[in-house]
């Protein structure tokens, strides 16, 4: 089926070249789309030079932990929540995510690799913000057949706002070839790549705003006040699905739920340059996690599931002393009923998810993406 679709696409593009029908311009390939390389996120080990939104509250939390007023489990869960919101409320960031695991649907299995490169510079004053975000989903060693073809996806969302350069919003690119593993690695993870073509959304107005609205939890409030508001914010996800768009907690797990972190370790470390950060490991109480409405609703939303529960959930993460996330690894297993192509099927998944951040001006620069887009628009 996939080969037939590829043949039909090639045929359509060939007709467009011969007849020069402009409406088929979306078939034009997009060479030179910036992709991850072994040299990306070069400043991963460089601490942010800006303050985290909840930097003061993060410091108050760690002071309480050092004084023995908070245990490791509650502290680790709060560190994760504050780092999640700090990410959502930062002015700029870039991260690389690599997830690989096994997916089962109706008793048939396949390996699924998911990779994304996400860079944002948020709107500020009269600046409307910029974004570069691509995702790759690749199915291999698969028994899934047509469903595997459906899961095989790729997309680029490039948001540029600069009237002087002719940029006015969203520019989308779509998959235009096979997704493959390359010979390059980044942070020990094997990179993937594909080919692209011009997509349907082209020059639509779009600005990049800060997400994860904290619903009145100003950073002038005390740690206890902020955590109370964030806890209520996350709890809303258990009964108000409209709030899903604004969720800020990372990895679909409500680490503020009472008793959800069963054990944790927290260790202070330094980079080679002397920048301080924390290395944290936490194991989840699955009985609590599977009974927490907010966590389960987030997990359902992320996997298009009608029923779902975890069989495993362990998290290790690094967070800068200021409270910004440095990296994390989530190892999880779940089973449930998921919807694929409009049909509900029993499914299960086992995955390891690796994410690495950088916040430097160099790594967050949109210069390469702007140059590519400008050249592409001039040629097409």
């Amino acid at each position: 089926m996939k080969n037939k679709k590829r043949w039909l696409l090639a045929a359509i593009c060939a007709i467009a070249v011969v007849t020069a029908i402009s409406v088929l311009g979306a078939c034009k390939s997009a060479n030179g789309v910036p992709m991850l390389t072994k040299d990306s996120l070069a400043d991963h080990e460089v601490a942010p030079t800006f303050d985290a939104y909840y930097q003061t509250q993060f410091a108050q939390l760690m002071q309480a932990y050092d004084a023995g007023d908070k245990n490791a489990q509650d502290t680790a869960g709060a560190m994760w929540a504050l780092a999640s919101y700090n990410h959502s409320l930062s002015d700029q960031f870039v991260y690389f995510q690599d997830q690989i695991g096994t997916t089962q649907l109706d008793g048939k299995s396949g390996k699924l690799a998911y990779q994304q490169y996400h860079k944002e510079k948020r709107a500020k004053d009269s600046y409307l913000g910029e974004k570069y975000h691509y995702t790759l989903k690749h199915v291999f060693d698969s028994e899934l057949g047509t469903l595997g073809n459906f899961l095989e996806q790729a997309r680029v969302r490039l948001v540029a706002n600069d009237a002087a350069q002719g940029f006015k919003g969203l520019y989308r690119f779509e998959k235009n070839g096979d997704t493959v593993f390359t010979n390059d690695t980044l942070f020990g993870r094997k990179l993937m790549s594909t080919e692209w073509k011009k997509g349907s959304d082209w020059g639509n107005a779009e600005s990049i705003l800060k997400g994860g609205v904290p619903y009145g939890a100003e950073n002038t409030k005390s740690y206890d006040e902020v955590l109370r508001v964030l806890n209520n914010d996350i709890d809303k996800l258990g009964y108000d699905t409209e709030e899903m768009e604004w969720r800020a907690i990372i990895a679909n797990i409500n680490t503020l739920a009472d008793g959800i972190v069963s054990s944790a370790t927290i260790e202070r470390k330094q980079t080679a340059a002397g920048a301080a950060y924390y290395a944290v490991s936490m194991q989840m109480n699955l009985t609590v996690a599977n009974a927490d409405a907010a966590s389960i609703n987030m997990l359902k939303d992320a996997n298009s599931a009608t029923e779902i529960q975890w069989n495993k959930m362990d998290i290790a993460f690094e967070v800068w002393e200021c409270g910004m996330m440095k990296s994390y690894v989530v190892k999880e297993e779940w089973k449930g009923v998921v919807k694929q192509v409009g049909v509900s099927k029993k499914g299960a998944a086992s995955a390891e998810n690796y994410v690495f951040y950088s916040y430097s001006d160099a790594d967050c620069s949109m210069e390469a993406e702007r140059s590519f887009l400008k050249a592409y628009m001039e040629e097409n």
Side-chain angles (χ1 to χ4, degrees):
M1 178 65 71
K2 183 165 65 175
N3 289 336
K4 183 176 180 180
K5 289 180 179 177
R6 194 179 301 123
W7 180 87
L8 287 172
L9 179 61
I12 292 171
C13 289
I15 293 170
V17 171
V18 173
T19 62
I21 299 177
S22 60
V23 294
L24 295 179
C27 288
K28 291 182 179 178
S29 63
N31 298 322
V33 171
M35 301 287 286
L36 282 161
T37 73
K38 60 183 177 61
D39 299 317
S40 299
L41 276 72
D43 290 333
H44 167 66
E45 293 293 326
V46 177
T49 57
F50 54 84
D51 290 345
Y53 188 76
Y54 290 128
Q55 182 163 315
T56 298
Q57 291 75 14
F58 192 87
Q60 290 172 350
L61 168 65
M62 302 317 298
Q63 288 166 6
Y65 173 70
D66 290 340
D69 296 333
K70 291 188 180 294
N71 62 34
Q73 298 96 299
D74 291 344
T75 302
M79 292 171 77
W80 180 268
L82 286 172
S84 295
Y85 274 81
N86 282 339
H87 157 73
S88 190
L89 293 164
S90 63
D91 287 334
Q92 66 180 36
F93 64 84
V94 58
Y95 66 81
F96 159 55
Q97 178 180 7
D98 181 66
Q99 177 177 305
I100 192 162
T102 300
T103 296
Q104 294 182 347
L105 291 171
D106 275 359
K108 297 180 179 180
S109 65
K111 292 182 179 179
L112 176 64
Y114 173 79
Q115 214 162 82
Q116 67 167 318
Y117 176 49
H118 190 152
K119 174 164 52 179
E120 287 194 24
K121 296 172 74 69
R122 263 66 181 275
K124 191 175 183 180
D125 299 326
S126 60
Y127 172 59
L128 297 177
E130 296 177 287
K131 174 179 177 178
Y132 184 70
H133 181 206
Y134 74 69
T135 58
L136 304 172
K137 293 181 182 180
H138 178 44
V139 179
F140 60 104
D141 295 344
S142 174
E143 304 170 338
L144 297 173
T146 303
L147 279 175
N149 296 341
F150 175 78
L151 293 172
E152 187 92 3
Q153 298 175 5
R155 176 169 290 180
V156 171
R157 285 176 55 87
L158 199 167
V159 177
N161 283 293
D162 187 337
Q165 296 289 322
F167 305 142
K168 55 183 180 180
L170 171 64
Y171 302 88
R172 190 191 300 278
F173 295 89
E174 306 285 354
K175 176 181 169 69
N176 192 38
D178 292 334
T179 299
V180 298
F181 290 101
T182 72
N183 293 323
D184 272 353
T185 61
L186 181 59
F187 304 117
R189 314 300 300 172
K190 183 168 283 191
L191 295 175
M192 296 192 295
S193 182
T194 193
E195 296 177 353
W196 305 98
K197 65 179 179 180
K198 181 179 177 181
S200 56
D201 294 329
W202 199 254
N204 296 336
E206 182 166 327
S207 57
I208 303 302
L209 306 175
K210 291 182 181 180
V213 178
Y215 301 104
E218 296 90 355
N219 59 4
T220 55
K221 293 184 176 181
S222 69
Y223 163 80
D224 288 334
E225 290 175 307
V226 167
L227 259 289
R228 185 161 47 249
V229 173
L230 299 191
N231 203 359
N232 290 336
D233 176 14
I234 297 168
D235 280 346
K236 290 178 183 177
L237 301 175
Y239 59 86
D240 192 342
T241 56
E242 291 184 1
E243 302 290 346
M244 278 296 170
E245 181 182 356
W246 294 105
R247 70 183 185 264
I249 194 77
I250 294 172
N252 305 314
I253 186 76
N254 177 15
T255 58
L256 297 181
D258 188 29
I260 199 167
V261 181
S262 59
S263 63
T265 61
I266 302 171
E267 182 181 1
R268 280 185 173 81
K269 292 188 174 184
Q270 286 188 339
T271 65
Y277 66 95
Y278 297 94
V280 185
S281 174
M282 54 185 181
Q283 293 71 47
M284 298 298 158
N285 182 321
L286 295 183
T287 300
V288 175
N290 287 325
D292 180 68
S295 296
I296 291 302
N297 277 351
M298 286 189 284
L299 190 63
K300 284 181 178 179
D301 183 69
N303 294 283
S304 301
T306 55
E307 300 174 24
I308 202 164
Q309 69 174 14
W310 278 289
N311 292 331
K312 176 182 179 180
M313 166 60 89
D314 295 327
I315 298 175
F317 65 104
E318 297 174 329
V319 58
W320 292 107
E321 190 175 40
C322 67
M324 295 298 297
M325 194 71 80
K326 182 174 182 286
S327 69
Y328 67 83
V329 181
V330 174
K331 298 181 180 181
E332 64 180 326
E333 297 176 5
W334 57 259
K335 64 179 180 180
V337 177
V338 299
K339 281 190 174 182
Q340 296 293 343
V341 201
V343 179
S344 295
K345 295 180 177 293
K346 289 184 178 180
S350 174
E352 294 187 357
N353 191 18
Y354 296 79
V355 181
F356 306 86
Y357 289 84
S358 180
Y359 303 94
S360 72
D361 289 341
D363 283 346
C364 294
S365 170
M366 289 283 293
E367 184 177 350
E369 290 76 15
R370 282 168 166 259
S371 296
F372 156 73
L373 182 59
K374 184 177 181 180
Y376 183 84
M377 292 171 68
E378 288 175 350
E379 295 173 2
N380 296 280

